[in-house]
Amino acid sequence: MSKGKTQAPTVIHKVIMVGSGGVGKSALTLQFMYDEFVEDYEPTKADSYRKKVVLDGEEVQIDILDTAGQEDYAAIRDNYFRSGEGFLCVFSITEQDSFQATNDFREQILRVKSDENIPFLLVGNKMDLEEKRQVSIEDATARAQQWNVPYVETSAKTRANVDKVFFDLMRSIRVKKQATPSSGGGKKQSNTGGGKDKRKKKKCIIL
Ligand SMILES: Nc1nc2c(ncn2[C@@H]2O[C@H](COP(=O)(O)OP(=O)(O)O)[C@@H](O)[C@H]2O)c(=O)[nH]1
Ligand SMILES: [Mg+2]
């Protein structure tokens, strides 16, 4: 009946995995993508993934960028971060240092995105290793509250809360895009008194 009707393009939500090496960024990504726990994913390999999912009744595409240390080069890292619409900031509950490192990732992301309300979840992974816990739920929750973001514990091994973190983040990206009237979403900065926004307000029109 409605043959020939052009379909609206699929909405794409761009997610970036950040966190120290070894916390389970790749394991979480691969568990979400393929329902498998991959124990020996190449630690230095960054890769991107895409998948169509149904988010609250709407078919959308999720693009996931799984970073892997190249972020040490500031220029590469900033490019990655700039392209992201939402961030899963992962640490391992078994490694205090990885929890401390989340401060640096948060700072780097805010510097690039200039937006305190960027969709962002603090993720405490490896919750199946409770006996090796070094980061208390209280400490993690306190940091998340300070940042005004959710804190969720996951296990890439048992799949606990894996879908939840990706879907919750997509919901928060969707809300953000609805609040920002620019069709591209993501590109506009909400001007919350940063003062830097006067630079480079050029528009690029493709003819
Ligand atoms: N027990 C357990 N091990 C995990 C979990 N997530 C990742 N790992 C292990 O931790 C190591 C590092 O994981 P990986 O995904 O490569 O970390 P990445 O460097 O952050 O990408 C691997 O040996 C994984 O098998 C988890 O939720 N539970
Ligand atoms: Mg990895």
Side-chain angles (χ1 to χ4, degrees), residues 115-153:
D115 180 2
E116 292 262 334
N117 299 315
I118 187 82
F120 188 107
L121 261 74
L122 182 62
V123 178
N125 187 41
K126 309 199 187 184
M127 70 181 291
D128 57 292
L129 299 176
E130 184 59 41
E131 71 285 357
K132 294 192 180 155
R133 181 187 284 274
Q134 288 184 2
V135 181
S136 70
I137 293 180
E138 291 72 27
D139 286 354
T141 308
R143 179 163 299 172
Q145 275 176 0
Q146 185 197 329
W147 292 346
N148 202 19
V149 302
Y151 174 57
V152 182
E153 296 203 340

Side-chain angles (χ1 to χ4, degrees), residues 11-145:
V11 174
I12 303 171
H13 297 312
K14 294 180 185 163
V15 169
I16 306 208
M17 312 294 293
V18 298
S20 302
V23 298
K25 298 179 296 298
S26 301
L28 286 168
T29 304
L30 296 168
Q31 183 61 272
F32 177 72
M33 288 294 302
Y34 309 120
D35 292 282
E36 267 176 3
F37 178 49
V38 178
E39 284 197 73
D40 50 2
Y41 189 75
E42 173 58 53
T44 58
K45 190 166 175 225
D47 218 337
S48 58
Y49 302 83
R50 59 182 40 174
K51 179 177 179 168
K52 288 210 166 145
V53 295
V54 178
L55 175 66
D56 304 326
E58 182 198 9
E59 188 176 86
V60 301
Q61 180 175 303
I62 181 169
D63 281 14
I64 305 170
L65 178 66
D66 173 28
T67 65
Q70 296 92 329
E71 317 77 88
D72 289 345
Y73 300 99
I76 297 180
R77 184 194 62 210
D78 288 358
N79 269 334
Y80 278 173
F81 290 179
R82 204 165 288 125
S83 71
E85 296 171 328
F87 296 82
L88 292 181
C89 184
V90 186
F91 67 93
S92 165
I93 66 152
T94 67
E95 197 201 331
Q96 185 62 231
D97 285 353
S98 71
F99 179 58
Q100 291 315 323
T102 61
N103 276 318
D104 301 334
F105 287 103
R106 172 87 181 165
E107 205 174 280
Q108 289 158 2
I109 290 163
L110 290 189
R111 187 150 33 76
V112 172
K113 303 299 281 188
S114 316
D115 180 2
E116 292 262 334
N117 299 315
I118 187 82
F120 188 107
L121 261 74
L122 182 62
V123 178
N125 187 41
K126 309 199 187 184
M127 70 181 291
D128 57 292
L129 299 176
E130 184 59 41
E131 71 285 357
K132 294 192 180 155
R133 181 187 284 274
Q134 288 184 2
V135 181
S136 70
I137 293 180
E138 291 72 27
D139 286 354
T141 308
R143 179 163 299 172
Q145 275 176 0

